[in-house]
Amino acid sequence: MTPATRSMTMTESLDFYFDFASPYGFLACRRVGDLASTVGRKVNWRPFLIGAVYKAHGGAPLAHPLKCDYVFKDVFRRAKIDGVERMQTPANFPASSVPPSRLAYWVEREAPEKMGAFVEAAYKAFWIDGRDTADPNAALEAAESLGFDRDKAMAGAKCQAVKDRLREVTETALERGVFGSPFVLIDGDPFWGGDRFADIEALYG
Amino acid sequence: MTPATRSMTMTESLDFYFDFASPYGFLACRRVGDLASTVGRKVNWRPFLIGAVYKAHGGAPLAHPLKCDYVFKDVFRRAKIDGVERMQTPANFPASSVPPSRLAYWVEREAPEKMGAFVEAAYKAFWIDGRDTADPNAALEAAESLGFDRDKAMAGAKCQAVKDRLREVTETALERGVFGSPFVLIDGDPFWGGDRFADIEALYG
């Protein structure tokens, strides 16, 4: 690899970190494709477990009595501004987002070009249809809707390589300073929140 | 007062809560006048002590190892996008913002129409000139630049009514769910951050 091609490889993508249990992640997921087109990058989909950040550093919005109330007012208001009319909180919220996150990394191994579509389908199952993030069936049905074999997907999400991948991405997120969802890293520059997409466009567009 | 005029009085303003030690408050202060014009309201300037919120509920960004680094990257980046080239962190940061906050409420009593100009002048002293928020001289010089008598201002900022006013605004902020700076309340609707001004315009413009 020449320095020129290495440089192209390094700069052609942006890392989109999110937790499937994050409502702001859902709203940003709908717009990150357009953002990537505007700045001429491809999206590296990086579902991770935000709970690991809260465990290490605190800052969980739901643990803050004032912020907790605010976040839900704000996010449903923003959904309406974004034209998302039927958004709802998932059953059993807040629950583990391990099942869809692992399945996403299985999709990444099986058919990486479908990872974005899987993320969007799973996110819709949770935040539009109100499915429980911790219910493996919700994520499996999202995979099925994209043509994946359900039994193969179910087995795949349990393989060690996929479990390790989610753990590794979560650890790397912490090391890279990711402390919220959604979070974009572009050439190492950190941007917290979908409300920073305009800044990314201003700086990288 | 008839119900009709009371209703007009209730809806003609927006409450702009901020701490003088908050860099996002400074950047939002530069834009809140335009926001108010767009939505046809006047600004109620509400300097308060964000430390009281952090004491009651936690969530101080500077206490979070990842968020602390991020906030300063983000705020100086945003300053450039906003066309603010010479922004700098105040000396002795983070320090008490009691002196400018009290002086602001003295200005409110003396010449309420000058309160916005005082807020802007004091904020510039801290975040453009790098003055210490805890140094009473910085706020006094901002008042002097607007034609106030320095000795009168110095004495005024120490009077009990002004001290009580700052305490009362801070307590009311907490009761109303204000947990960050800047924070806008408009007809009771809460908006955290200057990045929500576009939402306020979308909903109230």
Side-chain angles (χ1 to χ4, degrees), chain B residues 80-147:
Chain B
K80 282 196 181 157
I81 295 172
D82 281 2
V84 182
E85 291 295 339
R86 298 182 302 112
M87 187 167 172
Q88 61 177 308
T89 306
N92 196 31
F93 179 86
S96 166
S97 52
V98 168
S101 305
R102 284 189 180 157
L103 200 50
Y105 288 117
W106 175 76
V107 170
E108 184 186 47
R109 292 167 68 92
E110 287 291 303
E113 75 285 0
K114 289 193 178 175
M115 195 174 183
F118 171 76
V119 167
E120 197 174 343
Y123 248 141
K124 278 184 183 165
F126 305 132
W127 289 97
I128 298 289
D129 301 334
R131 303 289 298 272
D132 180 353
T133 54
D135 174 6
N137 292 312
L140 284 168
E141 285 163 30
E144 269 189 302
S145 76
L146 297 169

Side-chain angles (χ1 to χ4, degrees), chain B:
Chain B
M1 191 183 272
T2 67
T5 56
R6 191 185 307 119
S7 165
M8 275 185 62
T9 307
M10 282 173 64
T11 58
E12 71 184 351
S13 62
L14 60 84
D15 298 335
F16 178 62
Y17 285 93
F18 60 94
D19 187 303
F20 279 108
S22 156
Y24 290 115
F26 165 62
L27 292 176
C29 160
R30 299 177 65 254
R31 297 165 46 230
V32 72
D34 285 347
L35 170 70
S37 298
T38 303
V39 300
R41 308 272 179 139
K42 81 175 187 66
V43 178
N44 295 324
W45 303 92
R46 293 288 179 266
F48 78 115
L49 304 177
I50 187 74
V53 179
Y54 298 151
K55 196 174 166 189
H57 299 300
L62 301 182
H64 189 299
L66 303 181
K67 203 177 280 186
C68 177
D69 284 354
Y70 174 80
V71 158
F72 279 92
K73 269 184 206 160
D74 183 64
V75 83
F76 286 109
R77 189 164 63 193
R78 167 130 300 278
K80 282 196 181 157
I81 295 172
D82 281 2
V84 182
E85 291 295 339
R86 298 182 302 112
M87 187 167 172
Q88 61 177 308
T89 306
N92 196 31
F93 179 86
S96 166
S97 52
V98 168
S101 305
R102 284 189 180 157
L103 200 50
Y105 288 117
W106 175 76
V107 170
E108 184 186 47
R109 292 167 68 92
E110 287 291 303
E113 75 285 0
K114 289 193 178 175
M115 195 174 183
F118 171 76
V119 167
E120 197 174 343
Y123 248 141
K124 278 184 183 165
F126 305 132
W127 289 97
I128 298 289
D129 301 334
R131 303 289 298 272
D132 180 353
T133 54
D135 174 6
N137 292 312
L140 284 168
E141 285 163 30
E144 269 189 302
S145 76
L146 297 169
F148 290 102
D149 178 78
R150 185 187 181 102
D151 291 338
K152 209 177 150 194
M154 198 185 312
K158 290 176 185 163
C159 79
Q160 195 58 44
V162 158
K163 292 180 181 177
D164 290 346
R165 174 78 169 134
L166 175 58
R167 189 177 303 112
E168 176 260 326
V169 169
T170 298
E171 283 167 7
T172 303
L174 261 167
E175 286 163 17
R176 299 179 80 190
V178 174
F179 59 82
S181 167
F183 206 102
V184 168
L185 282 165
I186 179 165
D187 295 351
D189 263 356
F191 294 87
W192 174 36
D195 46 40
R196 290 298 182 272
F197 281 13
D199 293 5
I200 299 173
E201 289 181 5
L203 295 166
Y204 288 89

